[in-house]
Amino acid sequence: QVQLVESGGGSVQSGGSLTLSCTASVASGSVDAIFCMGWFRQAPGKEREAVAAMTTGTWIRYADSVRGRFTISRDKTKNTMYLQMNNLKPEDTAIYYCAARSGLCNFRDNEYRYWAQGTQVTVSS
């Protein structure tokens, strides 16, 4: 079983920065269950969308809307994933979720098995 716990949301002004963290509690021998971890977000009245995802290897993908501003990273020793968000814009306002899955990474949220509780990010202009 895998449990994901997020932290780091908050409110900033446009142009500011925030870092989100997501720590996975993984049963011994089940690390493959989090081979792929990703960040998704859902703004009010909109569908959930992928932000970034990465494997425990070198595969990384960003949504076009955040590329160059957001950086995803993982500390495998801590089973923790980060999302460094710079130059935040009001349109980045959303609830951000981290998620994990085994197998190949992609941006299809319905294929992620494990989800964290979500954290609010609010960017004011």
Side-chain angles (χ1 to χ4, degrees):
Q1 281 290 357
V2 175
Q3 290 187 326
L4 303 177
V5 177
E6 289 186 55
S7 62
S11 298
V12 295
Q13 290 189 329
S14 182
S17 298
L18 283 173
T19 300
L20 305 182
S21 300
C22 175
T23 298
S25 297
V26 184
S28 176
S30 300
V31 177
D32 285 348
I34 58 169
F35 175 75
C36 172
M37 294 184 74
W39 291 98
F40 295 79
R41 67 186 182 186
Q42 188 166 22
K46 295 188 177 181
E47 292 188 353
R48 186 165 58 192
E49 64 176 358
V51 175
M54 69 180 296
T55 65
T56 53
T58 59
W59 188 95
I60 294 177
R61 181 179 175 186
Y62 292 98
D64 290 343
S65 59
V66 306
R67 187 177 295 112
R69 300 187 298 120
F70 291 11
T71 302
I72 188 173
S73 62
R74 290 179 70 167
D75 183 337
K76 288 180 284 187
T77 65
K78 299 179 180 179
N79 284 338
T80 298
M81 175 178 65
Y82 304 94
L83 185 68
Q84 173 66 44
M85 304 183 292
N86 297 325
N87 190 21
L88 282 159
K89 304 175 181 181
E91 51 264 41
D92 294 318
T93 295
I95 298 174
Y96 283 70
Y97 299 90
C98 78
R101 58 165 291 175
S102 59
L104 298 178
C105 260
N106 56 38
F107 271 8
R108 294 188 285 271
D109 59 354
N110 63 336
E111 295 184 9
Y112 283 72
R113 180 174 181 181
Y114 304 103
W115 290 83
Q117 76 281 8
T119 188
Q120 178 71 46
V121 171
T122 303
V123 185
S124 58
S125 57

